[in-house]
Amino acid sequence: MPRGRPPSHTREQVVDAAIRIADAEGLAALTMRRIAQDIGAGAMSLYTYVPDKDRLLDLMVDRVGGELVLPAATGDWRTDLIAVAGAQRKLMLAHPWLPAAIPNRRLTGRNMLAYLEKGLAALAPTGLDGPTKMEIVALMTGFVASFVTAETTPATPQEDQVALIGEAVASGEFPELAAVLAEGGQGREPGFDRIADWTLTGLVTQALAF
Amino acid sequence: MPRGRPPSHTREQVVDAAIRIADAEGLAALTMRRIAQDIGAGAMSLYTYVPDKDRLLDLMVDRVGGELVLPAATGDWRTDLIAVAGAQRKLMLAHPWLPAAIPNRRLTGRNMLAYLEKGLAALAPTGLDGPTKMEIVALMTGFVASFVTAETTPATPQEDQVALIGEAVASGEFPELAAVLAEGGQGREPGFDRIADWTLTGLVTQALAF
DNA sequence: CGCATTTATCGTACGTCGTACCGGAAATAC
DNA sequence: GTATTTCCGGTACGACGTACGATAAATGCG
């Protein structure tokens, strides 16, 4: 039997509440007091379950990492790799704070290791060496994070930005930019699946050709 | 002649001091009070030159963007694009806070527009449509930022991480990861130039093939 | 010159944050 | 009972961004 006063909550409850808040209101709204309030505890009680806010973020990242669902590997690296990227994007769209929270957190838990494992497994048929496979998985993660960040940031065409671009184009110093803007949206943006295919296929193909 | 009390400093001085601090001590050490102290002013005086800290970050990003130096374009998109990526990496290595500061700041000033222009110019010979070129430049920026972040983060092999990986590998649930680790460093990490070449060449090649 | 006007300076202060500290509460072991 | 262990959470500290407003320093006008 455990000695001492029994805990009123669990680490999981704390992490879940934090994820719920971050999902709904963003990372900026995620404060220790807010989490405590959500689970009906005093602010300082959280420190029974989590050493500090930074570790809590680690735990959040690893926890949502467990939500990654992937179809069974087909053995075709192209298909499998794109599937991993797509699953990751889906995860990041469900948890928009994720791209901002990931950067420095290398391998924070088993779920992140599992993700890495999936990426490596998808690349296994290519026969690439270990460091290259690691690099490609890391690159893929970064790429997906960048894409989703751009995707979820509402494109903010602020007045001052419009003015800036307008006069820049008018100045004639940015001919390529002017051409692209003049062209309008006729080319249509490529979209995630196409971009992911280009990026990953291109990257692996080049690595193999080397 | 301007009326009123003349300013004791300039916006440039404020931005420069901020960059100096961020370069030397990181973004976390960049506080308004610290900047003010550095230039010998009261904290609140800064607000004469800058509306708030967030705009100051915009100004910092755009300012260092002016340091980008590129060799003359050769007309070969592969060479030119890699040159742009390399210059951007150099910039980020000189200002390690840059990758963290860029994310949401779309086109904060003329220097960032100039960077975009360079990227588009490098891609001009490919004949790709506007949106695709824009996407590729954005992807390139994100990729370089990811790479430099990984590069400048001191790889932190913390005890707990080592333990985590150790037991994970021992559990047998991560065969691919185990294989890569067992393989040792024989494959040698590819390095930026190689990676950039693979990524960009692969990406453009795939886009062209479409 | 004096005086109104304009602009910059910056001390004080407020609200918020992460979290150190520590007395009190709640459980078990003896 | 009492000692021991563990968790709870109020209070408080230092740091942050920055609103406010009194004060200072310049010009333009009489």
Side-chain angles (χ1 to χ4, degrees):
Chain A
M1 275 291 114
R3 307 256 300 208
R5 179 175 180 168
S8 306
H9 311 88
T10 65
R11 167 177 283 204
E12 260 202 1
Q13 279 174 30
V14 173
V15 175
D16 282 349
I19 290 171
R20 209 163 34 235
I21 293 167
D23 284 350
E25 306 172 42
L27 266 194
L30 188 72
T31 68
M32 298 304 273
R33 291 173 227 263
R34 180 85 170 74
I35 299 166
Q37 180 189 323
D38 252 41
I39 64 175
M44 292 312 294
S45 299
L46 299 184
Y47 290 90
T48 303
Y49 308 101
V50 150
D52 58 31
K53 196 187 182 184
D54 215 59
R55 300 293 183 183
L56 172 57
L57 274 169
D58 287 345
L59 293 171
M60 290 168 66
V61 170
D62 193 59
R63 183 130 171 75
V64 299
E67 296 174 13
L68 262 184
V69 282
L70 290 172
T74 66
D76 174 50
W77 61 260
R78 191 167 163 174
T79 304
D80 291 345
L81 209 53
I82 292 175
V84 174
Q88 207 179 15
R89 169 168 173 257
K90 212 164 113 182
L91 190 66
M92 291 186 184
L93 287 175
H95 305 289
W97 47 271
L98 205 43
I102 283 183
N104 287 335
R105 305 172 201 291
R106 251 43 190 160
L107 306 174
T108 54
R110 299 188 88 89
N111 289 331
M112 287 291 110
L113 285 182
Y115 161 73
L116 177 57
E117 174 73 15
K118 293 292 185 185
L120 293 175
L123 283 168
T126 62
L128 290 167
D129 63 289
T132 300
K133 280 187 288 190
M134 295 283 276
E135 199 73 51
I136 289 175
V137 174
L139 243 33
M140 178 174 72
T141 305
F143 145 69
V144 177
S146 294
F147 192 94
V148 173
T149 298
E151 199 173 8
T152 53
T153 304
T156 54
Q158 313 277 26
E159 312 169 35
D160 49 354
Q161 307 223 7
V162 173
L164 172 68
I165 295 175
E167 68 180 78
V169 166
S171 78
E173 295 174 48
F174 305 92
E176 296 293 339
L177 180 57
V180 168
L181 293 179
E183 186 184 321
Q186 73 178 41
R188 224 58 252 146
E189 294 183 20
F192 180 80
D193 290 334
R194 186 119 62 217
I195 291 282
D197 187 17
W198 292 352
T199 305
L200 298 172
T201 301
L203 181 55
V204 174
T205 302
Q206 290 294 317
L208 285 173
F210 180 74
Chain B
M1 276 294 113
R3 307 257 302 209
R5 180 175 181 170
S8 307
H9 312 88
T10 66
R11 167 178 282 206
E12 260 202 0
Q13 278 173 31
V14 173
V15 175
D16 282 349
I19 290 171
R20 209 163 34 236
I21 294 168
D23 284 350
E25 307 172 39
L27 267 194
L30 187 72
T31 69
M32 299 302 272
R33 290 173 227 262
R34 179 86 170 71
I35 299 167
Q37 180 188 326
D38 252 42
I39 64 176
M44 294 311 295
S45 300
L46 299 184
Y47 290 89
T48 305
Y49 307 101
V50 148
D52 58 29
K53 196 187 181 185
D54 215 59
R55 300 291 184 186
L56 172 57
L57 274 169
D58 287 345
L59 293 171
M60 290 169 65
V61 170
D62 194 59
R63 183 131 171 75
V64 300
E67 295 174 13
L68 261 184
V69 281
L70 290 172
T74 66
D76 173 51
W77 62 260
R78 189 167 163 174
T79 304
D80 290 345
L81 208 53
I82 291 175
V84 175
Q88 205 179 17
R89 168 167 173 259
K90 211 165 114 182
L91 190 67
M92 290 185 184
L93 287 175
H95 305 289
W97 47 271
L98 205 43
I102 283 183
N104 288 335
R105 305 171 201 291
R106 251 43 190 160
L107 306 175
T108 53
R110 299 189 88 88
N111 289 331
M112 286 291 110
L113 286 181
Y115 161 72
L116 177 56
E117 175 74 14
K118 294 291 185 185
L120 293 175
L123 283 168
T126 63
L128 289 167
D129 63 290
T132 300
K133 280 189 288 191
M134 295 283 276
E135 198 73 51
I136 289 176
V137 174
L139 243 34
M140 178 173 71
T141 304
F143 145 69
V144 177
S146 295
F147 191 93
V148 174
T149 298
E151 200 173 8
T152 53
T153 303
T156 54
Q158 313 277 27
E159 312 168 34
D160 49 355
Q161 308 223 6
V162 173
L164 172 68
I165 295 175
E167 67 180 78
V169 166
S171 78
E173 295 175 47
F174 305 92
E176 297 293 339
L177 180 58
V180 168
L181 294 179
E183 185 183 323
Q186 72 179 39
R188 224 58 254 146
E189 293 182 21
F192 180 81
D193 289 333
R194 186 120 62 216
I195 291 283
D197 187 16
W198 292 350
T199 305
L200 298 172
T201 302
L203 182 55
V204 174
T205 302
Q206 289 295 316
L208 284 173
F210 181 72

